Amino acid sequence: MTRSERLPVLLLGGYRQAPAVARSLARAGYRVIVGVGPHGNPAARSRFAGELWHHTDVGDVDFIDGLRDFAASHDRLAVFPLGDSELLALSQPDSELPPELLPIMPASETVRTCLDKSAAQDFMTSVGVSPPETRTVRSLEELGAALAGVGVPAVIKPDTSLATIAGNKALICSTVEEARTAMPEWPAGASYLLVQEYVRGRRHNCHLVAESGSITARFEQVIVRTDRLDGTGLCVEARSGVPTEELWELCRRITEGAGYTGAACIQFLMGEEGQGIRCLEVNPRMCASCAFPVHCGVDMPLATLEAALRARGWVVDRAGSTSGYRRGETMNWLLGDITGVIEQRGAMSGRDRIRAVSRVFGSAARADVHVTWSWTDPVPTLVMFRGLLRRVGSAVLGRFRR
């Protein structure tokens, strides 16, 4: 297959990485179709979007039927799920995707294992990769025993990335009372909670693409800051690091053990004080900051798509660099950084707020690449900032109405 054949690729998921993926694939010669759900998709406003497909929420019972109908209007259609909700929708045993639909994702069983945090940890252990020491709890009453088991402070997180604790990915606490104050009710959507040892250290995200277990593209991102004061949450500032071969050996164990084909973002903590390396998560998809490796010379969206096509017997030449990349480059996600400061302003003193705002805009000014911004395709980012301005405007108006 040559790219000049203009294989249509449907992007599912209105996430911050969607515009970067659309740009990458369109520039490589693929025809990009942007899926637009009830909450929109910033890539729909990209100049690289060749077509839009409006669909129901991916969690709706009729979503797969709608996807089948859309696929039937094409001789062949690649569907590229960008987030966990979309991956789960396509990986369900009863999805029964038609043969003309080519899902750009790991095997369905692998996806389900990775997105179940307890099952993922069991798999890590089976291939010699150490997760943090963990206890699982199925009621708030079990928290005390779990905290005593792993020690304090501890990290509490839901069993799935689709659930949060009071809007946060994780909670750091030292007592049951502290946990219950932050989490008075059981988190919606969580079947169980993981209570994990707190590991001090720098987080490294290993972006990769694998084919039949062999890593064919790689990029290492060192997290400098997240959108949360305690270091949990989403990355807003990072740098491209020299590959840490010890980490990549652990990645190899995971991909070979799973016979993995597809993209993954494997998160590690480089523990201090003798805690060693801990594997936090195996995300069965590209990282949301995939614009970063593209900027540094590793086109992860393109490598992901073409690895999936080769796995299905398509003849596709490898394009560009898949392992060498520029080190020491910096990345910023300005919208996430601003949102984090706004959401946590109540926990900061006036002086801390000034420092936080200075840090936000200083990081943005220094960055070599931004997660969403492109000078040649600015509209998607402007659309995302419009949403932030509406939130701020509503909050200001609410104050005046009181």
Side-chain angles (χ1 to χ4, degrees), residues 66-312:
L67 180 59
R68 291 193 193 103
D69 292 342
F70 184 69
S73 64
H74 297 78
D75 292 333
R76 57 195 174 190
L77 175 68
V79 57
F80 202 144
L82 301 182
D84 294 347
S85 297
E86 293 74 23
L87 283 165
L88 279 174
L90 296 182
S91 66
Q92 295 307 308
D94 58 353
S95 292
E96 296 181 8
L97 301 179
E100 65 269 18
L101 195 64
L102 309 172
I104 310 304
M105 56 186 275
S108 295
E109 184 178 351
T110 301
V111 168
R112 294 194 295 270
T113 297
C114 291
L115 295 182
D116 181 327
K117 295 186 186 297
S118 183
Q121 288 198 342
D122 289 344
F123 173 73
M124 293 177 203
T125 303
S126 74
V127 295
V129 177
S130 299
E133 184 178 353
T134 303
R135 302 287 188 277
T136 59
V137 300
R138 297 185 181 276
S139 71
L140 296 179
E141 288 69 31
E142 298 175 20
L143 283 174
L147 290 172
V150 302
V152 294
V155 179
I156 303 175
K157 59 177 66 173
D159 62 315
T160 169
S161 62
L162 303 180
T164 63
I165 298 176
N168 297 304
K169 289 181 63 176
L171 168 68
I172 299 174
C173 64
S174 296
T175 66
V176 174
E177 291 74 20
E178 190 178 340
R180 292 296 294 268
T181 298
M183 183 176 52
E185 297 180 349
W186 187 261
S191 299
Y192 58 87
L193 300 177
L194 286 78
V195 181
Q196 299 181 326
E197 65 172 324
Y198 177 70
V199 180
R200 289 180 173 82
R202 183 76 75 183
R203 195 174 97 202
H204 290 231
N205 285 2
C206 292
H207 306 226
L208 64 86
V209 175
E211 299 183 38
S212 300
S214 177
I215 296 173
T216 56
R218 70 177 188 172
F219 175 81
E220 188 168 329
Q221 170 180 330
V222 183
I223 310 304
V224 176
R225 284 188 306 112
T226 73
D227 64 344
R228 288 293 175 264
L229 298 173
D230 61 7
T232 62
L234 305 174
C235 173
V236 295
E237 182 179 355
R239 59 180 172 82
S240 56
V242 175
T244 307
E245 293 307 326
E246 191 173 1
L247 295 184
W248 288 100
E249 167 60 22
L250 298 177
C251 291
R252 183 192 63 78
R253 294 182 191 178
I254 290 170
T255 58
E256 289 187 356
Y260 199 96
T261 293
C265 177
I266 306 180
Q267 298 181 356
F268 295 95
L269 270 174
M270 305 290 284
E272 301 171 356
E273 303 172 1
Q275 287 184 296
I277 298 172
R278 296 289 184 269
C279 184
L280 299 179
E281 294 181 350
V282 179
N283 297 291
R285 53 172 173 76
M286 289 187 306
C287 181
S289 58
C290 64
F292 195 16
V294 172
H295 164 81
C296 291
V298 183
D299 196 329
M300 285 293 174
L302 182 59
T304 300
L305 171 63
E306 298 194 336
L309 296 180
R310 280 191 293 273
R312 288 162 177 78

Side-chain angles (χ1 to χ4, degrees), residues 24-83:
S24 167
L25 300 185
R27 284 170 175 153
Y30 293 95
R31 183 164 177 270
V32 174
I33 304 172
V34 175
V36 183
H39 303 292
N41 189 328
R45 302 296 297 275
S46 171
R47 71 182 184 89
F48 294 96
E51 181 183 344
L52 304 182
W53 175 54
H54 293 270
H55 59 81
T56 61
D57 189 274
V58 295
D60 289 351
V61 293
D62 56 351
F63 169 75
I64 293 295
D65 288 337
L67 180 59
R68 291 193 193 103
D69 292 342
F70 184 69
S73 64
H74 297 78
D75 292 333
R76 57 195 174 190
L77 175 68
V79 57
F80 202 144
L82 301 182

